Amino acid sequence: MRFRCAEYIFLGISLFGLAMDAKKPNIVFILADDLGWAELGCYGNSFNETPHLDELAKRGLRFTHAYAAAPVCSPYRAALLTGQHPARVGILDYLRPNSSNALPVDQVTLPKILKRNGYATGMVGKWHLTGYKYQGAHFEIRPQDHGFDWNIGSEVKGVGNGANFWPYVFRTQPISWIDLPKNRMGEDEYLTDRLNLEAVDFVERNQDKPFFLYLSHYAPHTILNGRPDLVDKYRKKHPPGKTSRTKCYLCDDAGLKGEDCEYWAQDHNPHLAAMLESIDDGVGLLMNKLDSLGLSENTIFIFSSDNGGETNVTSNAPLRGGKSQLYEGGIRVPMIVCWPEGNVPAGANSNHPVVNHDFYPTLLEAASIEPDSNHILDGVSTISTWRNPSSAPERPALHWHYPLDRPHFLGGISSGAIRKGHWKLIEYFDPARPEKFELFNLKTDVSEESNLASTESERVRELHRELVSWRQRVGARIPSRPLLTRPGNLYFGEHFSKGQISEKWFFQKEWQVKDGILLRNQVAGRNKRLFYKEPVFKDALIRFEFLFNGAEDIRLVTGSNGSYNTMVHIRKDHFFIQTAYDKEGPWYPMRHGECAYNFKDGQWYGITIEFIKDQAIAHLNHEYIAYAQHPMIDKERTYFAFQVDQAGASLDNLQVFHAGRHPEQINNHSLIKTQLDRFPLKRTVQEQHAILMKNLHARLFMEDEKYRNLIERVEILDQEKLQRYPDAFLSNKEFQKKIQSLRKELHQNDPEYKKILFSTFQARRVLDQFLVEKNPKINDLPHAQKKAVLEETRLQYKNAPEFRKLLQISEDVQHRLEKKYPQLFVSNKVISQKRERARKALKDDPQFKELMKERSKANAASIDYLYQNNSKLNNLKNILDDQ
C-alpha cells in the first residue's frame, strides 16, 4: 500500500508539472524612449537611481550587447511587433506627424498572433507607427488594428513636446496630444505615473488568463520634463551640468535664462534622472503586483529601450555617439529579461549580440506557439541564450539600414552597418563623403575610436559584400539623395498597404493593388494611366519604386490644366524627361537628359524626381541622371498619373514632398554637369537625327526670333488650310472633340437620345450585377481591387449562357443608339479615310495646289534653317543621305 501511495503522489506531482508547463507564460514588455545603454544603476550609472530595475536584473538576465534595429524609434517599434527588419516592413525612419506610411494592417504582429492563441493583449503609451489625422495624414492606424484588445495613453498627434502633466496640452496648442480624456491622479497627474497605473490595472483585470502587456513609455524623450519633487531631489544630489541649449520653451515658461536651462543639461540632468525614476517606480509597482497575485513565476518580464540616449542631454560613454547614429551609442540599448521557474538564471549576464526583432520568435517559442506560416521572420529565437547566457544565438550577423536625405538633427548620417562577430562595418551612403567605410573591432575598441578600414581592406570588402547581399534579400533600397531640392512636408504619399489606400486614386480595370503593391494587371490594353484626383503642388520631390515584369515603359506624368507638361519616361534600357506642347508658351515637345540603364525584369528600383522652378531632374543615384531645364516646368501641377505601356509593371512607396531650394544647389549643378551624357544610349543615325531635330525645333522657337518667324509662317498657312479645307485637314483629335460637343448638345436637347443612352447604362449595370451575384465578394472589395476583380469575373463567365444573353441585350441597345445617331460613332480609321478622300478630291484644285506649295516652301525654309545652324544635325543628315 505504501508503495502504491507513493506512486500516486509521484503521478500527482507529474500531472501538476505538466499542467504548469501547459500554462502559457504572461509577458510584460516595458519600453523606455531614448534611454541610453549607460543610464541604469545595474549598467554602472551612479547618478540615476533605478532600484527596481536593478532588482529585476538580480532576478534575471542582463544583456550587454542588446541592439535596436534602428537608431530612432518608429523602426524599432515596427521591428518589435513584426519580428522583421525595418527595411522589410518599410519603416526606416521615425514617422512624421502627417506620414502616409503606417504599420500595414495585414502584418501578423506579435499581439495579433498572441491574441489568436488565447492571450489578453493590452498596450499602454507611445505607439508612433502611424501618421495622425489631426495633422493631415490620410490614414491613422491604431494599436487595436494590430491585435491589441485594449489601449490607452497613446498619442493623437506628434510627440516630444514636454507636456508631461495633466491636461497634456503643450503651451497654446488647442488639444491634448494624448488620448487621456480625464485624470485619475489629481490635477498634478504626471504622465509616466498615469501610464504605470494603467499598466498595473491591466494586470489586475487579466490575472486569470495569459496576457501580453506592452508598456511603452514616452520618457525620457526630449523635451525632458520630470516630476518637480524628483527633479528637486536630483538637483540637490548634484548640480546640473552645462546646458546644450540656451533657449527652450520650458525654460522660458519656468523663468530660466541662458546657462540656467537645466532641461538640456548634458550631464547630471535632473529631469532625465527624475523621468527614469518614474519609469523605475512603475517597474516596482508591476513587480509587486505580479508577486501579490502569484504570477511572477510564470511571467516573462522584459525591459529595454528603443534606441540610444540623446547626446544633448546625456552621454552614452564608453559607447560612441547616440540616438540617430549607427555608432554603438545610438543602437546598443539596455535589456533585462526576468523569467523564473528555471527559464532564465538569476543575476546572470550575456555578452552575445541580440536585436529587438528577436523578441517575436523568442516569445512565441516561450509560449509554445508556432509562427504564422505566411509571415516572414528576420529575428531568431534567443531562448537558448536566455536559458544559457554563454550560448550564442544561431545567426551569422546583425544588419542596419538607415538611409537619409540629409543628416538627422542629432547628427545621424545616411548609412548602413553590419556586425559579424566582434567586427562592425559602417557604410556611408553619401557619395560626397570622403570616408565611405568605417571598420571597428568591438572586442578591443568598444568606443569605436580606431577606424581600421584602411588596414583591413579585405575584411571591409568581405563584410560589404555580405551587407549588400543582405540588402538585396530584404529589399533594403537606398533612395538617391536630393540634388536640387530640400524636401519639406509630405504633400501626399501612397504605400499601397491593405486598408490604407487613398480614395483619390481613380482605379480602372487595368490597375489594382495586390499584396501591398500597385499592379498593372493582365487586362488587355496599352498605355493605360492611373490618375490621382485633384493634386495641387509645384516645387516638389517625388519618389517611388518600380519593377518591370513584362512591361517596357513606365511613366510618371505631371501637368497643368488637364494635360501633361512634364513626363518622366522609364524604359527597359534608359530613362529621360519629356516636356510637351503647350500653346501658352507656346512651347513644343522636347526630350531631355536621356540616360542609359539596363533595368532587369523582376528587380525593384527606386527613382528620385525633383521639380524646382524651371528645372526637373530624375536620378537613380548620383551617377545615373536625367536633367531638364525648360520654362514649362515652372508651373503649378494639377495633373498627376502613372502610365504603363502594357501588363506586368508594379509600383510602390510613392511619396510627394513639398520642396524648397537645396542649400548646395550650385555645387550640385557642377556634379550634374559632369554626369550628363556620361551614359548615352546607343541609337541609330536615324533616331539621333529625329530626336535632335525635334529638340532643336523646340529650343530655337524659344530662343531664335528668325526661326520663330519661319515657324509662325508655317502655322499661319496651316490655319489657312484648316479654315479653307476643314474636311481635308481636321485632325482626328479635333474631330472627336466636335463629336463630344455634339453628344453634350444632344444630351441637353434630345429626349430620345437621353432615353436610349440611359438604356445602355442600365443594360451594362445588369451585366455587372450578374457578375456580382456570381462573385459576391466584389461588393466588399476596396476600390483599389473592385474593377479589376469585376473584369476577372467577366472573363470567367463570358461564355456562360446567362451572361451571353444579357450581353446580347446590351449590344442590341448599343446598336440601336449607334444606328439612330451614327454621327456620334465615327472611328479614327473612318475619319482618316474621309480626310484622305477629301485631299484626293482637291489634288487638281489650283488654289489648293498653290496653298500646299507655299506651305511646303515655308516648311522647307524652317528645316533648312535647322541644318544651317547645327553642324551635328547637318552631319547626321549627310550620313542618312549617303545611306
Side-chain angles (χ1 to χ4, degrees):
M1 276 302 278
R2 190 179 302 164
F3 175 79
R4 288 179 63 81
C5 286
E7 188 177 22
Y8 285 129
I9 291 169
F10 176 78
L11 179 61
I13 292 171
S14 299
L15 291 172
F16 177 76
L18 288 172
M20 288 297 291
D21 287 343
K23 186 178 181 184
K24 296 186 185 301
N26 305 307
I27 303 166
V28 174
F29 193 105
I30 302 179
L31 186 66
D33 193 0
D34 295 356
L35 181 67
W37 181 79
E39 303 292 0
L40 307 184
C42 57
Y43 279 80
N45 195 291
S46 59
F47 177 64
N48 302 329
E49 297 178 17
T50 55
H52 301 297
L53 283 163
D54 299 345
E55 176 62 25
L56 189 70
K58 289 178 183 177
R59 292 190 189 186
L61 173 62
R62 184 181 71 102
F63 284 83
T64 58
H65 288 69
Y67 286 98
V72 290
C73 66
S74 297
Y76 177 101
R77 295 161 198 274
L80 170 67
L81 295 183
T82 63
Q84 296 179 347
H85 195 280
R88 191 185 297 278
V89 183
I91 297 177
L92 295 172
D93 198 3
Y94 70 93
L95 297 183
R96 274 57 170 181
N98 73 332
S99 176
S100 62
N101 205 357
L103 189 62
V105 296
D106 54 356
Q107 281 276 4
V108 185
T109 57
L110 180 60
K112 196 176 288 184
I113 196 167
L114 290 173
K115 183 178 179 178
R116 286 181 192 170
N117 286 273
Y119 274 75
T121 54
M123 181 187 168
V124 183
K126 182 174 179 179
W127 177 237
H128 207 173
L129 285 171
T130 186
Y132 311 104
K133 286 189 176 180
Y134 178 80
Q135 288 169 293
H138 286 187
F139 300 96
E140 187 170 299
I141 303 301
R142 306 306 298 178
Q144 290 92 334
D145 298 316
H146 280 288
F148 285 107
D149 297 313
W150 173 81
N151 164 239
I152 196 169
S154 291
E155 71 280 1
V156 296
K157 63 191 295 293
V159 303
N161 54 35
N164 297 343
F165 297 87
W166 176 262
Y168 311 115
V169 175
F170 182 58
R171 306 188 97 212
T172 59
Q173 290 185 357
I175 67 165
S176 169
W177 62 274
I178 201 166
D179 67 350
L180 294 172
K182 58 183 180 180
N183 64 53
R184 293 182 61 192
M185 305 179 76
E187 291 301 312
D188 296 326
E189 177 180 279
Y190 184 62
L191 178 57
T192 306
D193 295 341
R194 173 66 183 276
L195 299 183
N196 290 334
L197 176 63
E198 297 291 350
V200 171
D201 285 356
F202 174 82
V203 172
E204 179 80 43
R205 290 195 304 272
N206 293 281
Q207 58 182 295
D208 296 327
K209 53 187 171 183
F211 59 77
F212 170 49
L213 168 64
Y214 175 33
L215 172 54
S216 176
H217 281 295
Y218 297 93
H221 190 293
T222 58
I223 303 173
L224 301 178
N225 196 4
R227 213 172 68 203
D229 59 319
L230 295 176
V231 172
D232 187 56
K233 166 188 169 180
Y234 286 100
R235 190 186 297 118
K236 291 175 180 176
K237 184 175 181 179
H238 191 288
K242 184 179 179 181
T243 183
S244 62
R245 293 190 184 183
T246 57
K247 179 79 173 171
C248 90
Y249 299 119
L250 297 184
C251 295
D252 291 345
D253 295 345
L256 299 172
K257 303 295 181 185
E259 296 298 322
D260 295 329
C261 184
E262 62 185 24
Y263 294 92
W264 295 92
Q266 290 180 286
D267 61 85
H268 298 92
N269 191 304
H271 285 273
L272 189 150
M275 295 174 83
L276 182 51
E277 183 166 333
S278 294
I279 292 174
D280 187 75
D281 287 344
V283 173
L285 290 171
L286 282 165
M287 291 171 70
N288 290 337
K289 176 57 68 174
L290 292 167
D291 286 343
S292 68
L293 296 175
L295 299 176
S296 295
E297 293 300 305
N298 194 42
T299 297
I300 301 171
F301 200 125
I302 301 168
F303 178 86
S304 195
S305 173
D306 63 348
N307 48 250
E310 184 177 326
T311 53
N312 282 329
V313 294
T314 191
S315 167
N316 296 299
L319 307 182
R320 180 177 178 179
K323 177 180 177 179
S324 85
Q325 298 173 306
L326 292 184
Y327 293 124
E328 293 292 285
I331 53 177
R332 200 188 292 196
V333 292
M335 176 179 157
I336 302 168
V337 176
C338 180
W339 185 18
E341 288 195 342
N343 289 296
V344 172
N349 297 318
S350 178
N351 61 3
H352 291 298
V354 294
V355 66
N356 72 292
H357 41 72
D358 292 339
F359 284 120
Y360 187 119
T362 304
L363 292 172
L364 290 193
E365 184 174 351
S368 300
I369 295 171
E370 286 293 320
D372 188 296
S373 60
N374 295 317
H375 185 74
I376 297 171
L377 287 174
D378 293 313
V380 300
S381 174
T382 57
I383 280 286
S384 60
T385 308
W386 285 17
R387 290 175 174 155
N388 178 8
S390 64
S391 174
E394 294 184 7
R395 171 181 28 229
L398 296 177
H399 309 86
W400 290 267
H401 187 63
Y402 188 52
L404 298 172
D405 281 338
R406 60 178 182 269
H408 189 283
F409 61 87
L410 293 174
I413 297 172
S414 184
S415 51
I418 179 173
R419 174 174 174 172
K420 186 174 184 179
H422 297 298
W423 291 96
K424 178 179 170 188
L425 178 75
I426 301 177
E427 177 189 7
Y428 293 99
F429 299 149
D430 183 355
R433 183 182 171 91
E435 281 186 329
K436 183 175 174 62
F437 298 109
E438 287 185 316
L439 178 70
F440 303 104
N441 185 339
L442 297 178
K443 185 175 183 178
T444 58
D445 182 21
V446 69
S447 300
E448 296 173 293
E449 294 177 336
S450 300
N451 179 11
L452 304 176
S454 60
T455 58
E456 292 274 356
S457 56
E458 182 53 40
R459 194 181 301 275
V460 168
R461 282 193 291 272
E462 178 187 338
L463 289 173
H464 185 238
R465 278 196 299 269
E466 292 190 31
L467 183 58
V468 170
S469 176
W470 169 81
R471 284 202 292 260
Q472 292 172 345
R473 290 197 305 274
V474 301
R477 284 173 281 281
I478 305 169
S480 187
R481 293 156 61 91
L483 287 165
L484 300 179
T485 64
R486 182 167 187 165
N489 291 332
L490 184 75
Y491 173 64
F492 67 90
E494 186 66 79
H495 298 268
F496 302 107
S497 299
K498 182 179 179 181
Q500 302 170 47
I501 301 165
S502 173
E503 294 288 336
K504 288 199 167 189
W505 292 106
F506 189 73
F507 276 92
Q508 295 288 10
K509 62 186 179 182
E510 296 85 5
W511 292 91
Q512 67 188 104
V513 172
K514 192 173 183 179
D515 299 328
I517 60 172
L518 175 64
L519 177 67
R520 169 62 175 89
N521 59 31
Q522 296 299 317
V523 173
R526 294 186 64 83
N527 293 327
K528 298 297 182 179
R529 289 188 183 180
L530 174 71
F531 293 93
Y532 188 86
K533 301 171 188 174
E534 300 175 347
V536 181
F537 65 98
K538 191 178 180 184
D539 294 343
L541 180 141
I542 300 172
R543 283 202 174 108
F544 63 91
E545 296 170 3
F546 60 93
L547 174 147
F548 284 104
N549 202 11
E552 298 287 335
D553 185 9
I554 298 172
R555 305 179 192 182
L556 174 77
V557 188
T558 68
S560 308
N561 304 320
S563 60
Y564 93 89
N565 57 34
T566 309
M567 181 184 293
V568 178
H569 288 253
I570 309 171
R571 295 183 178 168
K572 291 293 292 292
D573 56 356
H574 71 290
F575 62 100
F576 63 93
I577 299 170
Q578 181 176 314
T579 49
Y581 174 76
D582 188 337
K583 61 184 178 182
E584 288 186 8
W587 298 301
Y588 286 92
M590 279 189 78
R591 180 181 294 220
H592 309 262
E594 196 168 75
C595 180
Y597 193 90
N598 183 26
F599 296 104
K600 297 176 182 177
D601 265 343
Q603 182 172 325
W604 282 95
Y605 299 90
I607 193 165
T608 298
I609 300 164
E610 303 173 67
F611 296 104
I612 184 79
K613 302 299 182 185
D614 64 348
Q615 301 175 81
I617 189 168
H619 41 109
L620 304 173
N621 53 41
H622 287 189
E623 289 185 292
Y624 293 90
I625 293 171
Y627 173 78
Q629 186 168 19
H630 193 285
M632 173 181 282
I633 297 170
D634 193 12
K635 280 192 168 191
E636 185 174 67
R637 290 165 231 291
T638 56
Y639 181 101
F640 185 96
F642 285 115
Q643 177 175 313
V644 175
D645 67 325
Q646 57 190 314
S650 297
L651 300 159
D652 202 0
N653 296 323
L654 166 71
Q655 293 178 296
V656 181
F657 296 95
H658 294 287
R661 189 176 187 274
H662 196 292
E664 298 295 322
Q665 189 180 108
I666 294 175
N667 291 337
N668 288 342
H669 265 296
S670 300
L671 168 67
I672 293 166
K673 188 175 181 180
T674 63
Q675 297 303 121
L676 293 182
D677 301 322
R678 184 179 167 191
F679 302 103
L681 183 68
K682 291 183 179 179
R683 290 197 172 279
T684 65
V685 174
Q686 191 169 8
E687 289 171 334
Q688 293 178 56
H689 178 270
I691 292 170
L692 181 55
M693 177 169 275
K694 182 178 182 179
N695 284 356
L696 275 173
H697 167 64
R699 179 66 64 190
L700 290 179
F701 189 85
M702 281 192 294
E703 299 174 353
D704 188 321
E705 185 178 359
K706 187 174 181 180
Y707 181 73
R708 189 158 51 248
N709 291 335
L710 292 172
I711 294 299
E712 286 173 353
R713 175 62 182 157
V714 174
E715 291 178 340
I716 289 169
L717 293 170
D718 281 339
Q719 283 299 113
E720 186 176 345
K721 282 163 43 182
L722 184 60
Q723 289 170 2
R724 291 171 60 182
Y725 309 104
D727 291 344
F729 293 104
L730 193 67
S731 70
N732 290 15
K733 186 175 181 180
E734 290 301 318
F735 199 100
Q736 293 293 354
K737 280 184 178 180
K738 285 191 170 187
I739 292 175
Q740 192 61 31
S741 297
L742 182 56
R743 282 192 176 123
K744 290 179 181 178
E745 183 181 333
L746 289 169
H747 197 273
Q748 291 174 350
N749 303 316
D750 187 335
E752 176 87 9
Y753 173 75
K754 287 179 66 175
K755 182 179 178 181
I756 303 175
L757 184 65
F758 177 76
S759 297
T760 65
F761 295 156
Q762 192 174 37
R764 289 178 198 143
R765 281 197 295 269
V766 171
L767 272 171
D768 287 350
Q769 186 57 42
F770 168 83
L771 297 173
V772 170
E773 288 171 2
K774 292 295 182 182
N775 188 1
K777 73 175 185 179
I778 290 173
N779 279 331
D780 300 323
L781 290 174
H783 75 295
Q785 295 180 345
K786 188 168 287 187
K787 290 184 178 180
V789 175
L790 187 69
E791 177 65 11
E792 290 171 5
T793 309
R794 185 189 71 78
L795 293 173
Q796 182 182 353
Y797 288 95
K798 67 180 181 178
N799 294 320
E802 301 157 274
F803 183 80
R804 298 295 303 171
K805 183 179 179 180
L806 294 173
L807 181 61
Q808 187 62 54
I809 293 171
S810 178
E811 290 174 348
D812 289 346
V813 175
Q814 181 66 27
H815 179 69
R816 181 182 166 201
L817 183 67
E818 292 179 15
K819 186 176 180 181
K820 178 76 175 177
Y821 300 94
Q823 69 272 32
L824 302 181
F825 300 95
V826 184
S827 69
N828 283 335
K829 183 179 179 181
V830 171
I831 295 169
S832 298
Q833 289 172 345
K834 288 178 66 177
R835 188 168 53 240
E836 188 61 30
R837 286 196 298 270
R839 290 183 184 179
K840 285 182 179 179
L842 290 167
K843 68 178 183 177
D844 295 326
D845 185 315
Q847 292 182 336
F848 175 77
K849 290 169 68 175
E850 182 62 29
L851 179 58
M852 293 301 291
K853 181 179 178 181
E854 190 175 351
R855 198 273 180 191
S856 178
K857 182 179 177 182
N859 187 57
S862 68
I863 293 173
D864 288 344
Y865 191 87
L866 293 177
Y867 288 125
Q868 292 164 10
N869 285 273
N870 190 277
S871 58
K872 183 177 180 181
L873 183 67
N874 194 56
N875 290 337
L876 291 169
K877 176 184 180 298
N878 291 334
I879 294 171
L880 287 173
D881 289 345
D882 290 341
Q883 292 176 349

